[in-house]
Amino acid sequence: DALGGIIDTLEDLLDKAETQLDELRKKEAKAQDDYEMLKQSVDDETKFAAKDMDEAKKGIAIASETLSTAEGQLTVAKKELATDVEAKGELHHDCMSRAQSYETETKDRDEELEVLAKAKQVIKENVEGVNLAQVSFFQVSSKTSIRMDVASLKVVRLVRNLGYE
């Protein structure tokens, strides 16, 4: 009977060992499946990350080219701006010079008109009551002084022109 008890114990141990072996095999199969799924997931992520990286590199290349073009255009625009600013300065200077010339001419013209009005008034006062057929603007002599200023010459020219009318 002792031998039968040992055999029963050994059979129990064999059953337990087979049960444990089956459980370990199931755990190993599950672990192998989990590993395969994890490996597939990592491979997919790596593939998508590589694709994303390639797209990012292409984007960087395009952005670099765009930046280069923009910097070139900026340089050209800055040169054009400098040229335009210089042209504006020259135009402003020219406008100011012409405005000053116009102002001077207008002032001179106003002075000439004033002198002409006075000369016309003097002529009218001296000619009033005189027979106009007897009046002549014929020049008897000509003595020009070097000191005669421009305004005086203009008055003389105007009076002479009035005489022809």
Side-chain angles (χ1 to χ4, degrees):
D1 221 6
L3 189 57
I6 292 178
I7 290 180
D8 285 342
T9 303
L10 285 175
E11 283 179 359
D12 276 344
L13 284 173
L14 180 62
D15 285 341
K16 283 183 185 179
E18 284 178 356
T19 305
Q20 285 179 349
L21 181 61
D22 284 343
E23 287 177 9
L24 287 173
R25 283 183 181 159
K26 285 179 186 177
K27 283 183 182 179
E28 182 182 2
K30 182 170 178 1
Q32 183 67 31
D33 288 342
D34 289 347
Y35 167 78
E36 292 297 326
M37 289 179 66
L38 181 62
K39 182 178 183 242
Q40 182 64 39
S41 175
V42 169
D43 288 346
D44 288 347
E45 284 184 37
T46 303
K47 185 170 56 171
F48 290 126
K51 183 180 175 186
D52 289 346
M53 182 180 276
D54 287 343
E55 288 177 10
K57 285 179 181 177
K58 287 178 187 175
I60 288 171
I62 291 171
S64 294
E65 184 179 327
T66 302
L67 177 63
S68 241
T69 302
E71 286 174 343
Q73 290 173 344
L74 178 62
T75 301
V76 168
K78 282 182 178 180
K79 286 179 184 176
E80 288 176 353
L81 176 63
T83 302
D84 291 348
V85 166
E86 183 180 336
K88 178 192 167 261
E90 290 172 4
L91 181 63
H92 179 34
H93 177 51
D94 186 43
C95 284
M96 294 307 289
S97 296
R98 288 183 185 205
Q100 189 175 13
S101 294
Y102 176 77
E103 187 177 319
T104 303
E105 289 172 9
T106 303
K107 182 180 175 189
D108 288 348
R109 225 175 286 121
D110 289 345
E111 289 174 0
E112 286 178 27
L113 289 174
E114 190 177 309
V115 169
L116 286 174
K118 286 180 183 176
K120 187 176 177 183
Q121 183 64 32
V122 168
I123 291 172
K124 270 187 175 182
E125 289 173 0
N126 288 332
V127 178
E128 273 186 41
V130 176
N131 185 0
L132 291 179
Q134 295 175 346
V135 176
S136 172
F137 287 102
F138 182 70
Q139 185 173 346
V140 178
S141 68
S142 173
K143 287 186 180 179
T144 321
S145 170
I146 295 175
R147 295 184 180 175
M148 195 178 262
D149 64 351
V150 176
S152 299
L153 288 174
K154 289 180 181 178
V155 170
V156 169
R157 212 176 306 130
L158 180 66
V159 170
R160 182 179 41 187
N161 290 339
L162 284 174
Y164 289 126
E165 290 177 7

